[in-house]
Amino acid sequence: MKYFLVFVTFVVSLSANAAVTDWVDFTLERGHVYLPVSVEGVETKAMLDSGSSVHAINKAFVNKNDLDLASGGKMLIKGVHSTARRSTYNNVKVNLFGADFTLNDVVEFSMGHHSRGLLLGATFFHPFVMQIDYPANKIRLLTRDSVDMNKAANVNSTADKEHGMPIAQIEINGQPLWFLVDTGNSGGIFMERRYASMAGLFESVEGEGYSSGVNSSGIQEVATAKTVQFGPFEISDVKVRFPAPGETTNLESQYSTTSTRIKGKRIAGILGYGLFKDFLLTIDYQTGKIHVALPES
């Protein structure tokens, strides 16, 4: 991909009472961001997933450490490809960024190896402004009084108040579309097939691939967008994925309980690591305001 800077400026002015955490190193595993965390006193890793409206704990982690967690109810979880009912836990003790938290309604998932203990959804970061420096593999949290995101934001974006997830508008081949900003998505751009048609992507299909969701998998077609406009950046030759003919997804319905819209915006798909990997991303989870920049060398 090639990047063309149109205009970008970002000034963080810290007030006397503002609080900013130290930068914390994270690891990237197949495009997923993992943070060091303690769960019920056990050191493990937590995946940051701004596209998830729930928190989750790995069944293998629970079994490996013989954790005796307070059972909650059952929760219906909609993944990209299917829907399933999952068990939940309450009063799960977590330590992250040097602070103690207690999480309720933590959904039990299968997340692979037991060393991956936790998934943190968007609502965990709702009280903060979060910065992710993808090239440097660092993350930190800022209090809202440390930066005026109304002035700093350079991406057309907003927040879904019900689920606590940011959504942003980008342009694909000149076609403006709204997407979920999902740091838990290891891909780049994944969208509904009909919106891929609107963006003229059918003419540039190069092949097929597979996508794995929380409940199942699906076949995707892969195409190259000539241009993607993300905030002040125009990016050329961007890979885009969308369901193959005959495949179905929950992309539109899984983020809204009553319709195919979030705050009146029709959601075309998901943005993930493949688009973010070269940027410093700053997100205010309360307002959905986003700033994107190239980190200083």
Side-chain angles (χ1 to χ4, degrees), residues 168-230:
Q169 187 183 58
I170 66 172
E171 292 184 12
I172 300 178
N173 292 338
Q175 176 68 49
L177 296 164
W178 285 89
F179 287 80
L180 174 75
V181 176
D182 185 357
T183 59
N185 174 23
S186 60
I189 300 175
F190 179 55
M191 62 194 301
E192 288 282 4
R193 185 171 179 84
R194 63 189 177 116
Y195 294 112
S197 176
M198 291 171 57
L201 292 171
F202 287 1
E203 293 80 7
S204 57
V205 172
E206 303 165 0
E208 292 185 345
Y210 291 89
S211 168
S212 296
V214 295
N215 298 318
S216 64
S217 301
I219 302 173
Q220 303 172 351
E221 289 188 330
V222 182
T224 298
K226 293 180 180 178
T227 61
V228 170
Q229 188 74 34
F230 180 37

Side-chain angles (χ1 to χ4, degrees), residues 53 78-80 163 165 250-257 270:
S53 59
K78 291 183 178 180
V80 171
H163 300 93
M165 296 180 289
N250 288 329
L251 272 177
E252 290 182 327
S253 62
Q254 69 174 321
Y255 303 118
S256 177
T257 56
I270 303 171

Side-chain angles (χ1 to χ4, degrees), residues 79-96:
V80 171
H81 300 290
S82 64
T83 301
R85 190 169 296 277
R86 304 276 182 168
S87 299
T88 66
Y89 297 107
N90 292 326
N91 301 317
V92 179
K93 296 178 177 58
V94 175
N95 183 279
L96 177 63

Side-chain angles (χ1 to χ4, degrees), residues 17-93:
N17 297 320
V20 180
T21 68
D22 293 332
W23 286 103
V24 173
D25 293 331
F26 64 78
T27 57
L28 279 171
E29 298 182 15
R30 298 180 180 177
H32 297 299
V33 173
Y34 283 90
L35 304 173
V37 66
S38 172
V39 179
E40 294 289 320
V42 180
E43 299 298 322
T44 184
K45 295 183 293 186
M47 188 177 84
L48 171 62
D49 189 352
S50 65
S52 173
S53 59
V54 300
H55 310 309
I57 193 165
N58 189 358
K59 183 177 181 179
F61 172 77
V62 174
N63 293 338
K64 172 69 175 179
N65 296 284
D66 296 321
L67 299 184
D68 185 16
L69 301 175
S71 296
K74 296 283 187 178
M75 185 178 295
L76 190 65
I77 301 297
K78 291 183 178 180
V80 171
H81 300 290
S82 64
T83 301
R85 190 169 296 277
R86 304 276 182 168
S87 299
T88 66
Y89 297 107
N90 292 326
N91 301 317
V92 179
K93 296 178 177 58

